[in-house]
mmCIF file of all heavy atoms in Angstrom:
data_model
loop_
_atom_site.group_PDB
_atom_site.id
_atom_site.type_symbol
_atom_site.label_atom_id
_atom_site.label_comp_id
_atom_site.label_asym_id
_atom_site.label_seq_id
_atom_site.Cartn_x
_atom_site.Cartn_y
_atom_site.Cartn_z
ATOM 1 N N PRO K 191 20.465 -21.155 172.573
ATOM 2 C CA PRO K 191 20.108 -19.804 172.269
ATOM 3 C C PRO K 191 19.959 -19.016 173.576
ATOM 4 O O PRO K 191 19.225 -19.338 174.460
ATOM 5 C CB PRO K 191 18.776 -19.903 171.580
ATOM 6 C CG PRO K 191 18.686 -21.391 171.164
ATOM 7 C CD PRO K 191 19.424 -22.131 172.245
ATOM 8 N N ILE K 192 20.724 -18.000 173.705
ATOM 9 C CA ILE K 192 20.666 -17.163 174.934
ATOM 10 C C ILE K 192 20.172 -15.764 174.514
ATOM 11 O O ILE K 192 20.679 -15.186 173.614
ATOM 12 C CB ILE K 192 22.100 -16.973 175.515
ATOM 13 C CG1 ILE K 192 22.688 -18.316 175.943
ATOM 14 C CG2 ILE K 192 22.112 -16.062 176.755
ATOM 15 C CD1 ILE K 192 24.093 -18.290 176.513
ATOM 16 N N PRO K 193 19.104 -15.367 175.218
ATOM 17 C CA PRO K 193 18.510 -14.037 174.903
ATOM 18 C C PRO K 193 19.555 -12.913 175.025
ATOM 19 O O PRO K 193 20.213 -12.801 175.998
ATOM 20 C CB PRO K 193 17.332 -13.894 175.929
ATOM 21 C CG PRO K 193 17.053 -15.299 176.285
ATOM 22 C CD PRO K 193 18.310 -15.988 176.253
ATOM 23 N N GLY K 194 19.608 -12.038 174.063
ATOM 24 C CA GLY K 194 20.473 -10.956 174.107
ATOM 25 C C GLY K 194 21.923 -11.219 173.550
ATOM 26 O O GLY K 194 22.699 -10.342 173.302
ATOM 27 N N VAL K 195 22.198 -12.497 173.394
ATOM 28 C CA VAL K 195 23.565 -12.896 173.000
ATOM 29 C C VAL K 195 23.503 -13.617 171.654
ATOM 30 O O VAL K 195 24.241 -13.286 170.657
ATOM 31 C CB VAL K 195 24.255 -13.824 174.001
ATOM 32 C CG1 VAL K 195 25.584 -14.330 173.512
ATOM 33 C CG2 VAL K 195 24.391 -13.224 175.318
ATOM 34 N N GLY K 196 22.568 -14.528 171.488
ATOM 35 C CA GLY K 196 22.410 -15.275 170.261
ATOM 36 C C GLY K 196 22.622 -16.722 170.430
ATOM 37 O O GLY K 196 22.477 -17.264 171.542
ATOM 38 N N VAL K 197 23.053 -17.399 169.385
ATOM 39 C CA VAL K 197 23.241 -18.863 169.465
ATOM 40 C C VAL K 197 24.681 -19.246 169.948
ATOM 41 O O VAL K 197 25.710 -18.781 169.407
ATOM 42 C CB VAL K 197 23.012 -19.458 168.110
ATOM 43 C CG1 VAL K 197 23.169 -20.968 168.170
ATOM 44 C CG2 VAL K 197 21.570 -19.096 167.562
ATOM 45 N N VAL K 198 24.743 -20.047 170.961
ATOM 46 C CA VAL K 198 26.019 -20.501 171.457
ATOM 47 C C VAL K 198 26.167 -21.953 171.120
ATOM 48 O O VAL K 198 25.391 -22.793 171.646
ATOM 49 C CB VAL K 198 26.094 -20.217 172.990
ATOM 50 C CG1 VAL K 198 27.488 -20.772 173.552
ATOM 51 C CG2 VAL K 198 26.002 -18.825 173.322
ATOM 52 N N SER K 199 27.066 -22.323 170.284
ATOM 53 C CA SER K 199 27.265 -23.748 169.886
ATOM 54 C C SER K 199 27.949 -24.484 171.103
ATOM 55 O O SER K 199 28.822 -23.984 171.729
ATOM 56 C CB SER K 199 28.131 -23.869 168.664
ATOM 57 O OG SER K 199 27.538 -23.175 167.588
ATOM 58 N N LEU K 200 27.503 -25.817 171.267
ATOM 59 C CA LEU K 200 27.960 -26.570 172.329
ATOM 60 C C LEU K 200 28.783 -27.724 171.796
ATOM 61 O O LEU K 200 28.530 -28.238 170.686
ATOM 62 C CB LEU K 200 26.775 -27.174 173.179
ATOM 63 C CG LEU K 200 25.791 -26.307 173.844
ATOM 64 C CD1 LEU K 200 24.705 -26.937 174.448
ATOM 65 C CD2 LEU K 200 26.607 -25.386 174.818
ATOM 66 N N THR K 201 29.888 -28.003 172.414
ATOM 67 C CA THR K 201 30.722 -29.166 172.102
ATOM 68 C C THR K 201 29.911 -30.463 172.375
ATOM 69 O O THR K 201 28.965 -30.466 173.084
ATOM 70 C CB THR K 201 32.006 -29.191 172.897
ATOM 71 O OG1 THR K 201 31.651 -29.389 174.295
ATOM 72 C CG2 THR K 201 32.696 -27.977 172.686
ATOM 73 N N PRO K 202 30.338 -31.646 171.794
ATOM 74 C CA PRO K 202 29.559 -32.857 172.022
ATOM 75 C C PRO K 202 29.425 -33.185 173.469
ATOM 76 O O PRO K 202 28.403 -33.687 173.937
ATOM 77 C CB PRO K 202 30.409 -33.877 171.203
ATOM 78 C CG PRO K 202 31.003 -33.157 170.118
ATOM 79 C CD PRO K 202 31.289 -31.793 170.687
ATOM 80 N N TRP K 203 30.524 -32.956 174.266
ATOM 81 C CA TRP K 203 30.436 -33.298 175.651
ATOM 82 C C TRP K 203 29.617 -32.429 176.474
ATOM 83 O O TRP K 203 28.850 -32.843 177.337
ATOM 84 C CB TRP K 203 31.936 -33.255 176.208
ATOM 85 C CG TRP K 203 32.756 -34.516 175.989
ATOM 86 C CD1 TRP K 203 33.776 -34.725 175.103
ATOM 87 C CD2 TRP K 203 32.475 -35.734 176.645
ATOM 88 N NE1 TRP K 203 34.209 -35.982 175.156
ATOM 89 C CE2 TRP K 203 33.503 -36.586 176.041
ATOM 90 C CE3 TRP K 203 31.598 -36.260 177.559
ATOM 91 C CZ2 TRP K 203 33.569 -37.953 176.427
ATOM 92 C CZ3 TRP K 203 31.752 -37.620 177.918
ATOM 93 C CH2 TRP K 203 32.674 -38.409 177.387
ATOM 94 N N GLN K 204 29.610 -31.184 176.042
ATOM 95 C CA GLN K 204 28.713 -30.150 176.759
ATOM 96 C C GLN K 204 27.266 -30.450 176.467
ATOM 97 O O GLN K 204 26.328 -30.372 177.392
ATOM 98 C CB GLN K 204 29.009 -28.740 176.327
ATOM 99 C CG GLN K 204 30.359 -28.239 176.793
ATOM 100 C CD GLN K 204 30.797 -26.893 176.224
ATOM 101 O OE1 GLN K 204 30.188 -26.402 175.230
ATOM 102 N NE2 GLN K 204 31.736 -26.162 176.857
ATOM 103 N N GLY K 205 27.007 -30.766 175.175
ATOM 104 C CA GLY K 205 25.605 -31.185 174.804
ATOM 105 C C GLY K 205 25.168 -32.423 175.566
ATOM 106 O O GLY K 205 23.961 -32.479 175.961
ATOM 107 N N THR K 206 26.059 -33.389 175.647
ATOM 108 C CA THR K 206 25.642 -34.647 176.276
ATOM 109 C C THR K 206 25.446 -34.451 177.820
ATOM 110 O O THR K 206 24.361 -34.919 178.291
ATOM 111 C CB THR K 206 26.775 -35.689 176.119
ATOM 112 O OG1 THR K 206 26.973 -35.909 174.720
ATOM 113 C CG2 THR K 206 26.470 -37.041 176.794
ATOM 114 N N LEU K 207 26.272 -33.689 178.399
ATOM 115 C CA LEU K 207 26.114 -33.454 179.892
ATOM 116 C C LEU K 207 24.733 -32.717 180.186
ATOM 117 O O LEU K 207 24.004 -33.058 181.067
ATOM 118 C CB LEU K 207 27.300 -32.862 180.520
ATOM 119 C CG LEU K 207 28.653 -33.506 180.503
ATOM 120 C CD1 LEU K 207 29.704 -32.669 180.961
ATOM 121 C CD2 LEU K 207 28.476 -34.825 181.384
ATOM 122 N N LEU K 208 24.539 -31.638 179.362
ATOM 123 C CA LEU K 208 23.345 -30.873 179.536
ATOM 124 C C LEU K 208 22.101 -31.704 179.252
ATOM 125 O O LEU K 208 21.064 -31.586 180.003
ATOM 126 C CB LEU K 208 23.401 -29.632 178.652
ATOM 127 C CG LEU K 208 22.255 -28.540 178.876
ATOM 128 C CD1 LEU K 208 22.336 -28.067 180.322
ATOM 129 C CD2 LEU K 208 22.450 -27.377 177.876
ATOM 130 N N THR K 209 22.186 -32.547 178.243
ATOM 131 C CA THR K 209 20.933 -33.365 177.940
ATOM 132 C C THR K 209 20.666 -34.288 179.036
ATOM 133 O O THR K 209 19.557 -34.519 179.439
ATOM 134 C CB THR K 209 21.211 -34.124 176.571
ATOM 135 O OG1 THR K 209 21.437 -33.114 175.543
ATOM 136 C CG2 THR K 209 20.026 -34.957 176.224
#
Side-chain angles (χ1 to χ4, degrees):
I192 300 178
V195 177
V197 179
V198 177
S199 299
L200 301 178
T201 64
W203 278 107
Q204 291 174 341
T206 300
L207 292 177
L208 188 58
T209 302

